[in-house]
């Protein structure tokens, strides 16, 4: 039994997902002035392999508690599903790029990445229009379903999304 317990203890932590809470990851840099768009994040806690993290610019409607996938400036907003294949120690800074267009792509995130959306034909406006955008980092069962918000950031543009004002910060 001791041997079985040892092996189970070795296997279970390798497959355990880190449940993140607000503030565990932060956006520390964005660059709207280049194509592809660039973002830099830092995880402030250790994150285990197998953890699924979602990053999106979908607009959030507080009244319904849902994300909207269409925007005024882009044909579609987008979402990244990122699964870590190895653990990340606290303090890891990760810079990644997002390219929209016919085949949206993300590069620079370590692990397995899939992309939904960002299919606007004008590359200069995708994934972020010149006026700004909002960004959410969260955990949930789908690109529009939130279990836990980890980080939210807005660089507002002149109009409201879902009639919700988007304050900066």
């Amino acid at each position: 039994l001791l041997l079985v317990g040892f092996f189970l203890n070795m296997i279970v932590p390798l497959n355990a997902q880190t449940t993140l809470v607000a503030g565990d990851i932060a956006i520390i840099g964005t660059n709207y002035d280049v194509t592809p768009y660039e973002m830099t994040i830092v995880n402030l806690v250790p994150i285990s392999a197998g953890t699924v993290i979602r990053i999106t610019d979908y607009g959030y409607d507080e009244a319904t508690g849902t994300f909207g996938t269409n925007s005024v400036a882009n044909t579609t907003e987008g979402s990244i599903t990122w699964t870590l294949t190895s653990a990340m120690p606290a303090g890891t800074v990760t810079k990644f790029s997002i390219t929209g267009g016919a085949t949206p792509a993300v590069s620079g995130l370590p692990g397995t990445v899939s992309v939904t959306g960002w299919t606007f034909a004008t590359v200069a406006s995708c994934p972020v229009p010149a006026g700004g955008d909002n960004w959410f980092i969260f955990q949930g069962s789908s690109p529009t379903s939130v279990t836990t918000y980890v980080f939210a950031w807005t660089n507002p543009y002149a109009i409201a999304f879902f009639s919700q004002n988007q304050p900066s910060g």
Side-chain angles (χ1 to χ4, degrees):
L1 283 175
L2 185 59
L3 188 57
V4 170
F6 174 76
F7 283 116
L8 285 176
N9 192 36
M10 295 281 296
I11 294 170
V12 172
L14 295 176
N15 296 325
Q17 174 167 291
T18 302
T19 300
L20 300 170
V21 298
D24 283 351
I25 297 175
I27 297 171
I28 59 172
T30 59
N31 191 350
Y32 291 175
D33 297 330
V34 297
T35 301
Y37 170 79
E38 297 173 332
M39 182 182 291
T40 305
I41 60 175
V42 61
N43 56 299
L44 302 171
V45 298
I47 303 175
S48 63
T51 300
V52 178
I53 301 167
R54 299 183 187 277
I55 304 170
T56 188
D57 70 337
Y58 290 154
Y60 184 72
D61 182 355
E62 291 182 65
T64 64
T66 60
F67 280 113
T69 58
N70 293 321
S71 74
V72 175
N74 285 335
T75 303
T76 63
E77 301 284 62
S79 183
I80 300 165
T81 301
W82 171 30
T83 305
L84 279 72
T85 53
S86 60
M88 289 180 69
T92 301
V93 175
T94 306
K95 180 180 174 184
F96 62 96
S97 300
I98 307 168
T99 304
T103 308
V106 173
S107 60
L109 289 173
T112 305
V113 175
S114 64
V115 180
T116 303
W118 291 312
T119 57
F120 193 60
T122 306
V123 176
S125 294
C126 192
V128 179
D133 211 339
N134 53 243
W135 288 98
F136 295 95
I137 301 174
F138 66 98
Q139 289 183 301
S141 60
S142 76
T144 58
S145 173
V146 178
T147 302
T148 305
Y149 280 103
V150 179
F151 191 82
W153 177 80
T154 299
N155 180 21
Y157 38 89
I159 57 172
F161 194 87
F162 282 124
S163 301
Q164 300 289 323
N165 292 329
Q166 298 187 28
S168 186

